[in-house]
Amino acid sequence: MTTSKKAENVRDVIRYLQKFKNALLVIYLDDKTIGSPLFSSHIRDIAFLHQAGLKVVLIPGARQRIDEVLNNANIKWSYNENFRVTSQEAMPLIKMAAFDVSNIVMTSLAANNITAVIGNWVRARGRGVLNGFDFGTAGEIDKLDTDVIRTVLNDGLIPIFPCIGWNAAGHPYNISSMHLAKQVAINLKADKLFFMMFDEEINSERYLIPEGFSLSESGNIPAMNLEEVDEFIEKNSSAGQEIKNLLKASQEACRAGVTRVHILDGNIDGVLPCEIFSGLGSGTMIYTGNYGKVRKMVQTDIPSVLSIMRPFVEKGKLLPRTEAQLSATLEDYIVFELDGGVHACAALHSYSDGQAEIAAVAVDENYAHIGIGPKLMESLITQAKNQKASSIFIMTTQTADWFEKLGFKEDSIDSLPAERKEIWTPQRNSKVFRLN
């Protein structure tokens, strides 16, 4: 990695630290992650986030520990609609197992000099008998004591939620940790909700990818909006119920006001800070609103744009440009912004004969695979047509194939506007491609 790229990565971290200072993160850790060799590393990362000023709430899953305790006691259980169904005799053991797991998390945080507190902040009610089926000890969330939770957060502590809720009479119920994480994020108006699932990646190896979805270099889907989640679920109708429940919970959280939900693989070291402090992250983000946007370039974007252009200039794909040149033609440029960072640029230059040139198309190599380039081209083509351009052309030395895919066809140098032909040189020998 070059020094320039390292510097840009550091700038990303600084920008995200500023963006998420005092942000509230709700993090669900499934029990496979808690039982994995990477658990201590994940806890260390959570401690770093807390020490950096982000507020953290943890919801640990306890399914495996509850299974173990009930098996040892020879108590049978079943699942119905993803709820564990047991007799009342199981409840003391379920409660013990849930708090055991929460204590493991709290102890690990203490080893990183972080104080956490396990609380009974969940008011619950029994699911009761539905369509003749008795759900026994399975419960649903009735209310969360958000005022007390916020007090705990403001005191600099990390709240930990075991998967137990109590009714007004003090009767305990077993509730879904995944559902609890979703509801806590909604009620606390969290900035981000994370589901850390061990060995779970939404990628092309495990799932069918709908047409038009962008993939990361490793083959996973970096982001989906709510409509794309529906497409993905429909395409993977035969997939396991857990991933469907996870995606639906993510959708519900987003629709209820949580801006972004992230699904992370707990089997990847450093996955949490990488997801937070980089534009593309390392998991899959479910989001509402505009994830990335094309906008006009402003003066303060110029250093970032020059940095994006630099590798292309060095390879001879772009002509060198100075800060003064960009400043003088500022109105011609657009950029692609993601979470406050600029990761691509392009320009539309108009000529006296009515022709328009798309130029300076450059995309940060880390973002080249998510379809930014075509978005920039589409935006500028639309702009040129709105301006009644008589024709649209580009000049290139090494990227003819890419432009041909977008519908451009080779044309002669003689077709160029007079002022553009004047600066063409046989030494560079750029080719002309025109949109038909």
Side-chain angles (χ1 to χ4, degrees):
M1 183 183 292
T2 65
T3 300
S4 175
K5 182 54 63 178
K6 288 179 182 177
E8 194 58 37
N9 290 343
V10 171
R11 292 185 189 113
D12 274 346
V13 172
I14 294 171
R15 187 176 72 253
Y16 280 108
L17 275 173
Q18 292 171 336
K19 180 181 178 68
F20 294 122
K21 187 177 182 180
N22 297 319
L24 176 58
L25 315 179
V26 174
I27 303 172
Y28 167 80
L29 301 167
D30 79 338
D31 48 3
K32 291 180 182 178
T33 296
I34 293 171
S36 76
L38 287 176
F39 174 61
S40 59
S41 180
H42 293 315
I43 288 293
R44 180 184 59 186
D45 289 338
I46 289 170
F48 286 155
L49 294 176
H50 179 75
Q51 290 162 344
L54 287 77
K55 295 179 180 178
V56 178
V57 176
L58 296 179
I59 291 87
R63 176 174 291 190
Q64 288 186 330
R65 179 58 179 149
I66 293 172
D67 288 352
E68 179 186 352
V69 169
L70 294 183
N71 284 338
N72 289 340
N74 293 316
I75 294 177
K76 297 185 180 299
W77 77 91
S78 62
Y79 281 99
N80 189 313
E81 299 177 15
N82 208 38
F83 288 90
R84 185 192 295 270
V85 179
T86 65
S87 61
Q88 287 297 329
E89 66 173 334
M91 198 59 226
L93 296 176
I94 292 174
K95 187 167 68 172
M96 179 190 73
F99 276 83
D100 279 351
V101 174
S102 292
N103 274 309
I104 290 171
V105 175
M106 184 172 68
T107 301
S108 296
L109 287 167
N112 286 272
N113 298 314
I114 303 297
T115 303
V117 57
I118 302 169
N120 57 344
W121 303 296
V122 183
R123 179 72 62 84
R125 63 181 184 277
R127 280 183 62 79
V129 179
L130 297 175
N131 299 320
F133 185 86
D134 187 353
F135 279 84
T137 59
E140 294 183 331
I141 299 168
D142 196 25
K143 182 181 177 182
L144 295 174
D145 199 341
T146 54
D147 289 341
V148 175
I149 300 165
R150 289 190 182 281
T151 299
V152 171
L153 288 166
N154 291 334
D155 286 342
L157 309 176
I158 292 182
I160 300 174
F161 284 74
C163 56
I164 304 294
W166 287 262
N167 68 8
H171 186 86
Y173 291 100
N174 183 199
I175 56 180
S176 162
S177 296
M178 187 182 295
H179 180 67
L180 177 58
K182 178 196 73 175
Q183 202 59 48
V184 169
I186 292 170
N187 286 32
L188 291 177
K189 297 179 173 57
D191 296 280
K192 287 179 176 287
L193 167 60
F194 296 90
F195 289 111
M196 189 176 290
M197 314 289 292
F198 191 81
D199 208 24
E200 178 59 79
E201 281 191 286
I202 302 178
N203 59 31
S204 56
E205 290 185 7
R206 301 184 182 189
Y207 300 105
L208 300 173
I209 307 300
E211 186 177 352
F213 277 44
S214 299
L215 297 178
S216 70
E217 292 180 348
S218 60
N220 75 305
I221 299 176
M224 287 189 280
N225 62 33
L226 301 188
E227 293 73 24
E228 288 171 334
V229 171
D230 287 330
E231 288 182 53
F232 180 88
I233 292 174
E234 183 178 355
K235 185 80 171 180
N236 293 274
S237 56
S238 60
Q241 192 60 42
E242 185 172 59
I243 187 62
K244 294 176 185 176
N245 290 337
L246 185 60
L247 288 169
K248 287 175 181 176
S250 300
Q251 275 185 317
E252 290 166 5
C254 286
R255 288 185 177 126
V258 179
T259 306
R260 295 181 181 180
V261 181
H262 304 257
I263 298 171
L264 308 180
D265 182 0
N267 197 25
I268 299 176
D269 191 15
V271 67
L272 186 58
C274 285
E275 183 72 9
I276 295 174
F277 297 125
S278 64
L280 290 178
S282 50
T284 296
M285 182 178 75
I286 313 300
Y287 66 97
T288 55
N290 202 347
Y291 170 49
K293 62 182 179 182
V294 176
R295 62 166 175 80
K296 283 287 189 180
M297 185 170 78
V298 296
Q299 193 74 30
T300 53
D301 295 326
I302 290 177
S304 296
V305 167
L306 287 171
S307 179
I308 293 166
M309 288 180 174
R310 190 172 298 115
F312 297 90
V313 172
E314 291 171 352
K315 293 175 184 176
K317 293 182 178 181
L318 282 184
L319 288 170
R321 289 164 173 85
T322 66
E323 184 172 348
Q325 288 172 324
L326 291 182
S327 185
T329 56
L330 192 66
E331 290 298 318
D332 290 357
Y333 281 83
I334 60 173
V335 296
F336 183 87
E337 180 188 293
L338 180 64
D339 280 341
V342 172
H343 298 288
C345 64
L348 181 70
H349 303 311
S350 299
Y351 293 94
S352 58
D353 66 352
Q355 294 193 55
E357 178 188 10
I358 294 177
V361 181
V363 180
D364 183 335
E365 61 181 10
N366 292 326
Y367 296 77
H369 53 276
I370 66 170
I372 295 174
K375 287 181 181 178
L376 293 176
M377 293 294 294
E378 181 183 356
S379 178
L380 291 181
I381 290 169
T382 299
Q383 183 181 331
K385 289 179 178 179
N386 289 340
Q387 293 173 359
K388 309 298 183 184
S390 60
S391 183
I392 304 169
F393 70 92
I394 61 95
M395 305 286 290
T396 184
T397 57
Q398 300 177 43
T399 54
D401 292 339
W402 188 78
F403 288 110
E404 284 182 325
K405 286 182 182 178
L406 298 175
F408 286 78
K409 294 187 181 302
E410 189 171 358
D411 203 349
S412 69
I413 297 298
D414 290 337
S415 69
L416 291 175
E419 55 263 56
R420 183 64 179 89
K421 195 185 301 183
E422 285 180 6
I423 60 174
W424 181 87
T425 64
Q427 290 79 16
R428 181 169 173 80
N429 198 26
S430 297
K431 293 184 177 182
V432 181
F433 282 79
R434 194 172 299 279
L435 186 64
N436 294 326

